[in-house]
Amino acid sequence: MSTATSEAQDGSWGAKAVRTRSAIIDAALRLFRQHGYEATTMRAIAAEAGVSVGNAYYYFASKQHLIQAFYDRTQVEHAQAAQPILERETDLAARIIGVTEAWLEVMEPYRAFAGTFFQNAAEPTSPLSPFSPESAPARELSINLWRQVVGGSDAKITKALRADLPELLWLYFMGVVLYWVHDPTPNAARTRILSTRTTPIIVRAIGLARLPVLRATLNDLLELIRDLKTIGA
């Protein structure tokens, strides 16, 4: 772990360091949009940000670390963009769709090059994988947003399912993100249809989980998910 990363995690950075780090991220995103991820070098990013190459590497050891910072930033922006729908709606389906739409809006400016990021993240051993230890802060921010989605809804959810539902919804959301990566339509039209058409199905399944005849099956499924999570942890 780099010194800069350690300082970021323990909150010891000063205001100037925070501004410098943010400027480097902003510069990288501008160049990624203009020239693509692969063609953009750390030297070019440093020049765009107005810092030395050594200073850029102090904050970000590689372009991959910049992508991780981009993930962290967009998680915060997504949570902020989702707040109006969470404050306005209590219907679970409306909350799920609204939070997904908020993410699509946040990501739209980065769509031309973000697919490269997520394709790299599909490699299981990549630190950019949403399941990697390096992605834990961004992952927890996202799952916490889905906790808000569930917690503020008026849906009747079984006790057995309620604790695991936010993470299950996050996994569903990861599937939507993967579809978005490969969606060629303007304004991610197909991804939006996928969200609006599959969400009611999910909500109906959540309601059906309250039926006694399905309770044992649900418990078996949740136990399987927990067991799979513990393997190799």
Side-chain angles (χ1 to χ4, degrees), residues 10-81:
D10 67 20
S12 62
W13 273 359
K16 181 178 179 181
V18 172
R19 289 195 299 271
T20 301
R21 186 175 186 275
S22 182
I24 295 170
I25 296 172
D26 290 340
L29 295 179
R30 285 195 298 272
L31 293 179
F32 292 158
R33 284 195 293 268
Q34 293 170 13
H35 307 295
Y37 172 72
E38 297 297 341
T40 300
T41 65
M42 287 294 286
R43 183 173 297 277
I45 292 169
E48 179 75 10
V51 302
S52 69
V53 176
N55 206 15
Y57 275 112
Y58 170 76
Y59 288 100
F60 301 100
S62 68
K63 286 197 295 182
Q64 279 195 335
H65 288 81
L66 271 163
I67 297 174
Q68 193 64 63
F70 166 71
Y71 286 170
D72 294 342
R73 176 187 283 190
T74 54
Q75 292 301 338
V76 173
E77 292 177 353
H78 180 205
Q80 293 171 343

Side-chain angles (χ1 to χ4, degrees), residues 191-207:
T191 305
R192 295 175 192 273
I193 292 173
L194 177 70
S195 171
T196 56
R197 298 280 287 274
T198 58
T199 296
I201 298 172
I202 291 170
V203 172
R204 284 199 297 272
I206 292 169

Side-chain angles (χ1 to χ4, degrees), residues 79 82-90 95 99 145 148-149 152:
Q83 286 311 303
I85 189 71
L86 296 181
E87 293 171 1
R88 185 172 67 248
E89 291 284 354
T90 57
R95 291 167 76 84
V99 168
L145 179 58
Q148 294 180 51
V149 170

Side-chain angles (χ1 to χ4, degrees), residues 74-198:
T74 54
Q75 292 301 338
V76 173
E77 292 177 353
H78 180 205
Q80 293 171 343
Q83 286 311 303
I85 189 71
L86 296 181
E87 293 171 1
R88 185 172 67 248
E89 291 284 354
T90 57
D91 178 74
L92 181 58
R95 291 167 76 84
I96 294 172
I97 293 170
V99 168
T100 302
E101 289 279 344
W103 186 87
L104 292 173
E105 293 300 323
V106 166
M107 290 300 298
E108 184 60 28
Y110 311 111
R111 193 175 175 206
F113 65 86
T116 303
F117 296 176
F118 289 102
Q119 286 168 0
N120 290 336
E123 168 58 45
T125 60
S126 171
L128 299 178
S129 165
F131 305 98
S132 72
E134 292 85 353
S135 296
R139 180 170 64 249
E140 182 55 31
L141 276 174
S142 186
I143 294 174
N144 187 60
L145 179 58
W146 292 103
R147 290 191 185 102
Q148 294 180 51
V149 170
V150 173
S153 78
D154 58 10
K156 292 180 172 59
I157 304 168
T158 64
K159 184 178 180 180
L161 182 58
R162 182 172 286 275
D164 293 281
L165 186 55
E167 189 164 357
L168 293 174
L169 288 176
W170 174 75
L171 289 171
Y172 157 75
F173 176 65
M174 288 295 97
V176 174
V177 170
L178 180 61
Y179 188 89
W180 172 83
V181 168
H182 299 281
D183 181 2
T185 56
N187 200 31
R190 288 180 184 170
T191 305
R192 295 175 192 273
I193 292 173
L194 177 70
S195 171
T196 56
R197 298 280 287 274
T198 58

Side-chain angles (χ1 to χ4, degrees), residues 157-168 209 214-230:
I157 304 168
T158 64
K159 184 178 180 180
L161 182 58
R162 182 172 286 275
D164 293 281
L165 186 55
E167 189 164 357
L168 293 174
L214 295 178
R215 195 165 298 157
T217 301
L218 172 64
N219 290 337
D220 288 344
L221 176 60
L222 293 176
E223 184 177 352
L224 171 61
I225 292 170
R226 295 184 192 113
D227 287 345
L228 290 174
K229 286 171 61 179
T230 61

